[in-house]
Amino acid sequence: MSSVLEARGLHKIYIGGDGSELHVLKGVSLVVQPGESVAITGASGSGKSTLLHLLGGLDWPTAGEVYLDGRPLSQLADTELAEARNRKIGFIFQFHHLLRELSALENIKMPLLIRGTDRREARAQGEAMLRAVGLEERRDQKPPQLSGGELQRVAVARALVSEPVVLLADEPTGNLDNQSAERLHQLLFRLVGERRLALVVVTHNRELAARADRVLRLHDGALQPEVLAEAVHDGL
Ligand SMILES: Nc1ncnc2c1ncn2[C@@H]1O[C@H](COP(=O)(O)OP(=O)(O)OP(=O)(O)O)[C@@H](O)[C@H]1O
Ligand SMILES: [Mg+2]
């Protein structure tokens, strides 16, 4: 089986304002198959968001390569990279990044409009996605009028509306109460299962991590297998 997403030997070094170097990722490799879910844990500042950004082609590694459907991202032209991000990758950000002036439905439709989908078609797909996340009644509300859980569901719908093959989610339930988080986990894994998506999810939530096929911990710039039973004692 060929991998849909692969990282080989990723390094990321940030250069601070004073010229100092911060070596955040020190040779991270990861292979994700279609339909496979991988949870990534790790302390604050360990580089989890950095890694997701590299996997999604939102930032470049200092060394190493990311392959999407076997193609190295660094060798794609700008337009091809934009196209790959729009069509193949769904991204749920640590902070939802929805547009405040747009309604729930308009936010969800946005990736389709960006790729040039016919307006009527975009509306139909957006509404279907709104139903899939159970937000039909909130379609015309704007982000300031939505609850935290609803905002995250809009973010899930927006990430999945363009039928990506990879879903990258950064703490999708980080600021939700237990019950809302649990509901969002169920929704996320139902959609991932139905669509055979490859999921890489950064989370501190034990219940979410336990649903993933594999759990890895980012520590000192490298990924290592996480043993969840022990993580309970670490207060994961
Ligand atoms: N653009 C940047 N320039 C310089 N340093 C950065 C930049 N982005 C992140 N960093 C630093 O790199 C380290 C890793 O950041 P990152 O956001 O990946 O951590 P994280 O594991 O996602 O943390 P959290 O759990 O708090 O979200 C941190 O020390 C951060 O301050
Ligand atoms: Mg982060």
Side-chain angles (χ1 to χ4, degrees):
M1 189 162 52
S2 66
S3 67
V4 62
L5 181 67
E6 179 168 356
R8 272 192 221 154
L10 295 184
H11 284 257
K12 182 67 180 179
I13 300 176
Y14 288 117
I15 312 288
D18 59 355
S20 62
E21 292 191 348
L22 184 63
H23 202 157
V24 178
L25 302 180
K26 301 174 180 171
V28 168
S29 296
L30 177 68
V31 180
V32 191
Q33 311 288 353
E36 189 184 21
S37 53
V38 178
I40 295 181
T41 68
S44 179
S46 59
K48 305 178 299 296
S49 295
T50 299
L51 174 59
L52 273 201
H53 290 159
L54 301 185
L55 293 177
L58 298 172
D59 192 9
W60 295 109
T62 310
E65 184 65 85
V66 174
Y67 300 82
L68 182 64
D69 271 342
R71 298 185 68 195
L73 291 187
S74 69
Q75 289 181 24
L76 300 181
D78 286 354
T79 49
E80 288 177 306
L81 180 64
E83 169 108 352
R85 277 203 305 250
N86 183 265
R87 288 182 182 264
K88 295 198 170 175
I89 301 174
F91 214 108
I92 301 172
F93 291 92
Q94 187 163 8
F95 306 101
H96 58 75
H97 288 203
L98 298 172
L99 296 170
R100 299 173 52 87
E101 312 75 33
L102 300 185
S103 71
L105 178 60
E106 288 165 340
N107 266 290
I108 294 171
K109 285 189 315 193
M110 188 52 74
L112 298 176
L113 298 178
I114 287 173
R115 72 149 78 155
T117 303
D118 166 77
R119 287 191 167 266
R120 211 178 312 158
E121 178 64 28
R123 183 182 189 86
Q125 288 181 30
E127 286 180 341
M129 210 55 234
L130 205 60
R131 278 195 297 280
V133 298
L135 284 179
E136 307 90 308
E137 324 250 286
R138 293 281 176 277
R139 52 173 269 167
D140 298 320
Q141 312 264 25
K142 295 178 179 171
Q145 304 153 345
L146 294 168
S147 74
E150 289 168 345
L151 289 171
Q152 289 304 80
R153 280 188 279 158
V154 174
V156 169
R158 183 187 54 179
L160 294 181
V161 74
S162 37
E163 309 206 326
V165 290
V166 172
L167 179 62
L168 304 173
D170 199 347
E171 291 279 13
T173 52
N175 44 13
L176 299 184
D177 63 75
N178 285 346
Q179 207 185 0
S180 310
E182 166 84 36
R183 254 190 262 132
L184 197 95
H185 300 161
Q186 280 172 10
L187 170 71
L188 201 56
F189 275 82
R190 177 168 61 76
L191 294 172
V192 163
E194 283 170 6
R195 294 160 185 237
R196 269 185 65 69
L197 281 173
L199 170 70
V200 180
V201 57
V202 166
T203 186
H204 285 107
N205 185 294
R206 215 171 55 226
E207 197 267 335
L208 174 55
R211 285 175 186 257
D213 298 320
R214 277 192 289 153
V215 187
L216 301 171
R217 170 174 283 257
L218 191 54
H219 179 70
D220 197 16
L223 282 177
Q224 48 193 235
E226 172 76 289
V227 183
L228 274 184
E230 287 177 12
V232 174
H233 303 297
D234 292 348
L236 168 80

